[in-house]
Amino acid sequence: MEGKVLEAILTRRSVRQYKPEVLSEQQISAIVDAALASPSASNSQPWLLRVITRKPLIEEFDEAIFESFKDAAPEIYERSKSRGSTVLYHAPLVILVLIPEASKPLMDAGILAENIAIAAKGIGLDSVILGLPGFLFRSAEAGAKWREKLQIPKGYELGITVAVGYKADSAVVRDYAPDYSKVAYIR
């Protein structure tokens, strides 16, 4: 079977290095539209999105995330250090998926993040879905500062982050082979 959506799903990979090229408003709008079309439990659409394209803010956020690992998660700090001391990988677009603190609809946030990733691939971009930026909010002081900077309202928290952009020529992308041993057909 063939189709553009299936092709986008099967060719999407996590990209951890991006070109500095700015995305067009049309590209960003298409990605946001795809995100907002995501299904959710009881069609509750519990999320809020923060769509960030301001490069200095992305760089400052990235540095703060990386530094938050130093004491809290030294192994992640070292892994991130080996990847250029970056978590957002110089992406020109970063989308934060905010979720209600009370109900924590992580599945809904994950579905929305996947819609972003597939839509990005479908329009010739790449992405990486990230959970690590949440570490920054474990510190009360840093968390309060970044909640304000990122306009995270009371009652919401960061669920998941997606970095989007054009894959850098030097980006290393892992090969993928489906593991059919994980599938059991019941007929």
Side-chain angles (χ1 to χ4, degrees), residues 124-146:
L125 300 170
D126 288 288
S127 64
V128 62
I129 299 171
L130 303 159
L132 289 176
F135 263 86
L136 179 59
F137 297 91
R138 292 183 181 182
S139 158
E141 185 179 333
K145 173 186 172 182
W146 281 98

Side-chain angles (χ1 to χ4, degrees), residues 1-20:
M1 295 186 77
E2 293 183 30
K4 290 183 180 185
V5 174
L6 192 55
E7 181 182 341
I9 292 169
L10 295 175
T11 60
R12 191 213 67 80
R13 300 288 180 273
S14 294
V15 171
R16 292 180 174 84
Q17 193 173 1
Y18 296 93
K19 294 179 180 178

Side-chain angles (χ1 to χ4, degrees), residues 58-161:
I58 292 171
E59 289 171 348
E60 185 184 358
F61 184 42
D62 193 22
E63 184 178 331
I65 296 164
F66 173 69
E67 289 301 320
S68 74
F69 301 149
K70 196 175 238 174
D71 295 323
E75 68 288 348
I76 295 172
Y77 179 81
E78 290 302 321
R79 186 177 76 202
S80 296
K81 195 172 175 181
S82 74
R83 291 179 172 170
S85 303
T86 179
V87 179
L88 301 176
Y89 308 106
H90 311 290
L93 170 63
V94 174
I95 301 175
L96 308 181
V97 181
L98 309 180
I99 58 173
E101 291 174 338
S103 59
K104 295 190 188 311
L106 294 173
M107 187 174 297
D108 291 337
I111 293 167
L112 187 139
E114 183 70 2
N115 265 26
I116 291 170
I118 293 168
K121 190 63 180 177
I123 60 173
L125 300 170
D126 288 288
S127 64
V128 62
I129 299 171
L130 303 159
L132 289 176
F135 263 86
L136 179 59
F137 297 91
R138 292 183 181 182
S139 158
E141 185 179 333
K145 173 186 172 182
W146 281 98
R147 287 180 68 84
E148 183 177 330
K149 280 185 176 244
L150 300 171
Q151 301 172 22
I152 300 173
K154 186 175 173 80
Y156 281 82
E157 65 184 25
L158 179 59
I160 200 161
T161 302

Side-chain angles (χ1 to χ4, degrees), residues 15 25 27 46-47 84 87 104 117 135 153 162 167 177:
V15 171
E25 287 302 316
Q27 289 170 311
W47 50 69
V87 179
K104 295 190 188 311
F135 263 86
V162 185
K167 178 176 72 96

